Amino acid sequence: MASPFSPFCGRDCPLFSLILFFLLWCVFPLSSHGQITPAVYTFGDSLADVGNNNHLHLSLLKANFPHNGVDYPGRKATGRFGNGRNSADFLAEKLGLQTSPPYLSISSSGGPDAFLKGVSFASGGAGVLNSTNKDHCLTLDKQIEYFSRVHAALQQKLGDVETKKHISQSIFIVVIGSNDLLGYFKSDPSERAKSTPQHLVDTLIFKLKGQLKNIYDLGARRIAFIGTGPIGCCPSERARTNKGDCNVESNYGSMKFNEGVSSVLGEMKAELGDFSYSFFDTYAALMEIIESPSSYGFTEVKAACCGLGNLNAKVACLPIATYCSNREEYVFWDFYHPTEASFRRLTETVFNGSRPLVHPLNVRQLASLKV
Ligand SMILES: *[C@@H]1O[C@H](CO)[C@@H](O)[C@H](O)[C@H]1NC(C)=O
Ligand SMILES: *[C@@H]1O[C@H](CO)[C@@H](O)[C@H](O)[C@H]1NC(C)=O
């Protein structure tokens, strides 16, 4: 039994608290100072693209012209599809890192050193399927192929053991699926008749499982998957309905896709053991904002800020389009993409939210897991 004067006297004694305090201070100093993961590697589409498509000369899916970037530092149109920073920027900031640079901007000039703090392969238009916008983006398969090159370069530089450690502690963000779904729901009825929404989703989930497994096989152990949003509520989809309501069919596809992704991640965790993930239900989180905008500081959930025509959704945010001045109050920047204000809101929940919006871990918890 512990005496009151023993240094190991039980949880009420001051010395115990002091030791605990120092332990916490020494073991977790980083969590209070920022960086909690060595690097972020990002895969995905225009919701995370930070400039890869600028380097695809034949791509029509670009955003490196005004009014994009009107709220970015220096009003710079960086290739981000939005008025300012996007989810990749806000997540990096929360993790205490710089935004991972676009792979295509460093692959020629940089070497392994440039890859050490992370790389972004995200490319506007990308999908799970090779056929989705194939001539205009880096498809997810291509992104994974590029990551295998980065992996090889890191092995050259750090050796196998250190590379394995580095990659296994890094966060892998994956934001994909919207373009595959939109491609189907926007196609003409004869095209759509060839497949049902459920069949499309099954095909996507089957392929995605292989892709996530490929990323795992290259050493990734912490995947943060950002699910698809209510794509039927983006201005372009609303503009196709009579009263500007959300398109029920494409929203249904998005919900089914998210259910599929969530169960694939659960299966991977069960099958692989040394794998952890965070799944963010963008659908539910954005729907909450769309249904009660004033609670989140928004006033306009239907129309795009930048564009032309009905709901500003008939024309992309091209230099000839007009844009709103109260951009903090709009959920959507252009016919498909959220505003910086939406990205900021959503990323708070990705990073530090809880069930049912993010599960089984949020990204803060995922990054803080013990090795
Ligand atoms: C998709 O493209 C990758 C190369 O980026 C290729 O390895 C793969 O076989 C293709 N898959 C299909 C189904 O065409
Ligand atoms: C995370 O959320 C909790 C409440 O759920 C809050 O107390 C805490 O300050 C938040 N931490 C960060 C880093 O945002």
Side-chain angles (χ1 to χ4, degrees):
M1 213 184 91
S3 95
F5 301 104
S6 151
F8 304 103
C9 55
R11 52 189 66 248
D12 292 327
C13 96
L15 192 56
F16 180 86
S17 309
L18 204 64
I19 291 170
L20 193 66
F21 174 80
F22 276 107
L23 270 178
L24 289 174
W25 182 255
C26 299
V27 177
F28 305 109
L30 291 179
S31 40
S32 53
H33 289 88
Q35 190 181 335
I36 53 174
T37 187
V40 173
Y41 296 90
T42 307
F43 298 80
D45 55 29
S46 57
L47 298 172
D49 191 345
V50 289
N52 274 315
N53 281 19
N54 299 350
H55 301 271
L56 298 176
H57 300 296
L58 298 178
S59 173
L60 296 176
L61 299 173
K62 291 192 183 177
N64 53 351
F65 47 78
H67 310 295
N68 294 298
V70 64
D71 296 311
Y72 195 82
R75 286 179 85 98
K76 199 162 167 239
T78 57
R80 285 168 176 76
F81 295 77
N83 57 310
R85 289 175 292 164
N86 67 22
S87 50
D89 299 303
F90 288 121
L91 259 183
E93 183 179 271
K94 290 191 175 293
L95 290 165
L97 291 166
Q98 300 283 313
T99 303
S100 304
Y103 175 74
L104 296 179
S105 74
I106 48 176
S107 52
S108 48
S109 56
D113 284 333
F115 300 141
L116 271 175
K117 290 268 165 119
V119 184
S120 173
F121 307 94
S123 165
V128 167
L129 302 177
N130 281 0
S131 53
T132 299
N133 296 317
K134 64 176 175 337
D135 299 325
H136 301 283
C137 66
L138 306 176
T139 62
L140 185 53
D141 276 345
K142 194 77 194 167
Q143 296 181 29
I144 295 169
E145 187 189 318
Y146 284 153
F147 174 59
S148 72
R149 294 189 199 173
V150 166
H151 184 265
L154 288 173
Q155 279 179 319
Q156 284 275 316
K157 161 118 185 134
L158 303 175
D160 289 357
V161 173
E162 280 303 307
T163 300
K164 201 170 167 199
K165 190 171 152 209
H166 171 83
I167 300 282
S168 68
Q169 291 174 13
S170 295
I171 294 289
F172 284 73
I173 300 173
V174 184
V175 192
I176 202 84
S178 305
N179 290 309
D180 302 290
L181 294 166
L182 283 165
Y184 171 83
F185 288 106
K186 282 190 319 187
S187 61
D188 49 38
S190 63
E191 194 58 37
R192 239 178 307 155
K194 293 178 189 162
S195 168
T196 63
Q198 187 63 56
H199 182 255
L200 168 75
V201 167
D202 292 344
T203 306
L204 293 176
I205 295 299
F206 178 79
K207 174 126 200 249
L208 181 65
K209 183 168 186 184
Q211 291 164 325
L212 294 174
K213 186 66 185 4
N214 289 340
I215 297 175
Y216 172 90
D217 288 340
L218 288 163
R221 294 295 177 269
R222 301 179 186 196
I223 292 185
F225 198 103
I226 313 294
T228 51
I231 54 172
C233 300
C234 71
S236 70
E237 285 290 279
R238 280 188 191 267
R240 298 199 303 129
T241 65
N242 284 337
K243 291 190 244 141
D245 294 332
C246 296
N247 186 317
V248 175
E249 219 195 347
S250 46
N251 268 354
Y252 176 81
S254 178
M255 245 187 298
K256 286 285 158 194
F257 177 79
N258 284 337
E259 280 173 26
V261 177
S262 178
S263 45
V264 157
L265 291 166
E267 283 163 30
M268 284 177 70
K269 171 117 189 108
E271 287 162 15
L272 303 168
D274 63 344
F275 169 77
S276 302
Y277 70 96
S278 170
F279 176 79
F280 179 60
D281 189 347
T282 314
Y283 187 99
L286 195 51
M287 219 47 180
E288 227 173 84
I289 295 177
I290 289 170
E291 280 165 5
S292 41
S294 59
S295 327
Y296 300 91
F298 293 96
T299 58
E300 180 57 64
V301 303
K302 292 188 176 182
C305 169
C306 182
L308 290 173
N310 181 22
L311 298 178
N312 286 330
K314 290 296 177 198
V315 172
C317 183
L318 297 169
I320 53 157
T322 56
Y323 64 97
C324 64
S325 56
N326 50 341
R327 296 182 286 281
E328 290 286 315
E329 295 176 21
Y330 275 67
V331 170
F332 290 98
W333 163 244
D334 66 6
F335 55 179
Y336 290 120
H337 303 101
T339 52
E340 179 182 74
S342 300
F343 278 129
R344 184 186 294 114
R345 266 269 161 220
L346 294 171
T347 310
E348 275 164 21
T349 311
V350 174
F351 186 71
N352 194 35
S354 52
R355 280 177 196 278
L357 299 183
V358 57
H359 75 91
L361 303 171
N362 60 38
V363 170
R364 183 177 56 76
Q365 293 163 330
L366 186 68
S368 315
L369 286 176
K370 293 286 162 305
V371 194

